[in-house]
Amino acid sequence: MTNLLPEMAQIWQQTLNWQPTDSQQAQFQQLYELILAGNSQLNLTRITEPQEFWEKHLWDSLRGIAPQQQFISSLQADASVIDIGTGAGFPGVPVAIIAPNSTITLVDSTRKKINFIDKILSELALSNANTLVARAEEIGQQPQHRQKYDIALIRAVGTASACAEYTLPLLKQGGLAVIYRGTWTEEETTALENAVKQLGGKVESIENFTTPLTNSIRHCLYLRKVGTTPASFPRTVGIPTQKPL
């Protein structure tokens, strides 16, 4: 018995003003099956039920890039995107599926996870995505990655100020970091604004929304790179989390 993902065309349309093509829907289904199969060895996700997977992995991944209403057009125009701490491939793999003209770099420090994602990319024939076993603190200081990306995505990784320190050094001037969160408070915004200012960015917007099936509260923080990140950032491995800005 195959676990079939729901299509949810109407919800996609209502919430994101977009819906997957038949081939994208088939790729979502294949991604789901590969993750279910890989889960037994790798413990990739606790979310395995079809509707929950659709909402918490697929919809959530794409909702993060949707409010930039021009997002589909900007992603069509060969944007370079980096997904930091991609884990089981979210949000980067769904973004790669819907944005074939963009280049997506999926970064994780766990080689086993990256090996698994390599398999997904080849099974789904996603030639626009590549992988990297690395830590954000290291690549942020490497000339081939620093200031090279248009969009940086980061989901379920550390504090917001650490996420800002991981993403902003990687962005070109004018680039956008998208930090996916669950709950969020005003106090956190103040702390984040202080961190982001030191990193050459500004908090462009904070979106608060609920998921379409379970009405869970989610937030996305959008940071715009407006200046140059000082050379001292990102600090060495572990420091952004231990001593947040």
Side-chain angles (χ1 to χ4, degrees):
M1 158 73 196
T2 316
N3 286 304
L4 262 185
L5 279 178
E7 293 202 2
M8 303 291 188
Q10 205 174 351
I11 295 183
W12 282 122
Q13 197 62 52
Q14 282 164 355
T15 55
L16 304 196
N17 195 24
W18 170 87
Q19 48 183 285
T21 62
D22 291 347
S23 70
Q24 289 167 340
Q25 181 66 27
Q27 285 176 302
F28 286 162
Q29 177 64 34
Q30 203 179 350
L31 171 62
Y32 176 49
E33 289 170 20
L34 288 165
I35 285 184
L36 288 181
N39 222 13
S40 50
Q41 292 104 43
L42 278 175
N43 191 17
L44 298 161
T45 178
R46 298 187 302 281
I47 296 165
T48 54
E49 187 277 318
Q51 294 216 325
E52 199 185 8
F53 185 92
W54 179 86
E55 179 182 61
K56 296 207 166 94
H57 282 329
L58 297 178
W59 185 87
D60 187 72
S61 289
L62 299 183
R63 173 61 179 78
I65 50 174
Q68 318 313 96
Q69 260 329 318
Q70 78 290 8
F71 96 95
I72 299 228
S73 54
S74 77
L75 282 171
Q76 300 316 44
D78 54 12
S80 57
V81 181
I82 188 164
D83 175 13
I84 295 166
T86 188
F90 301 104
V93 174
V95 172
I97 289 172
I98 70 147
N101 299 334
S102 287
T103 314
I104 321 288
T105 302
L106 304 149
V107 182
D108 203 275
S109 58
T110 310
R111 178 165 292 283
K112 275 186 180 161
K113 287 188 177 161
I114 289 296
N115 289 346
F116 173 74
I117 289 174
D118 284 335
K119 188 176 137 186
I120 284 182
L121 298 180
S122 100
E123 296 267 342
L124 297 182
L126 289 173
S127 55
N128 60 329
N130 55 73
T131 59
L132 187 59
V133 179
R135 296 196 56 127
E137 297 98 327
E138 295 162 349
I139 59 170
Q141 292 291 359
Q142 293 167 357
Q144 68 270 40
H145 295 289
R146 192 177 177 94
Q147 298 184 56
K148 290 291 188 279
Y149 296 91
D150 300 302
I151 299 171
L153 308 172
I154 190 161
R155 181 175 182 244
V157 177
T159 63
S161 69
C163 290
E165 190 168 345
Y166 296 149
T167 52
L168 285 166
L170 295 165
L171 291 172
K172 299 173 184 169
Q173 199 91 0
L176 190 69
V178 184
I179 304 176
Y180 291 67
R181 309 307 285 176
T183 54
W184 187 252
T185 64
E186 276 303 309
E187 298 80 63
E188 288 176 292
T189 302
T190 311
L192 178 65
E193 281 171 342
N194 170 47
V196 168
K197 199 180 290 169
Q198 295 178 58
L199 295 161
K202 66 169 189 184
V203 178
E204 184 156 287
S205 66
I206 295 177
E207 293 258 336
N208 166 1
F209 54 92
T210 53
T211 60
L213 305 182
T214 56
N215 290 319
S216 314
I217 292 179
R218 304 281 295 145
H219 290 80
C220 270
L221 323 173
Y222 298 92
L223 314 180
R224 183 71 64 184
K225 175 85 166 267
V226 289
T228 306
T229 304
S232 51
F233 298 116
R235 293 166 294 167
T236 51
V237 170
I239 304 292
T241 328
Q242 289 154 16
K243 299 187 178 159
L245 288 176

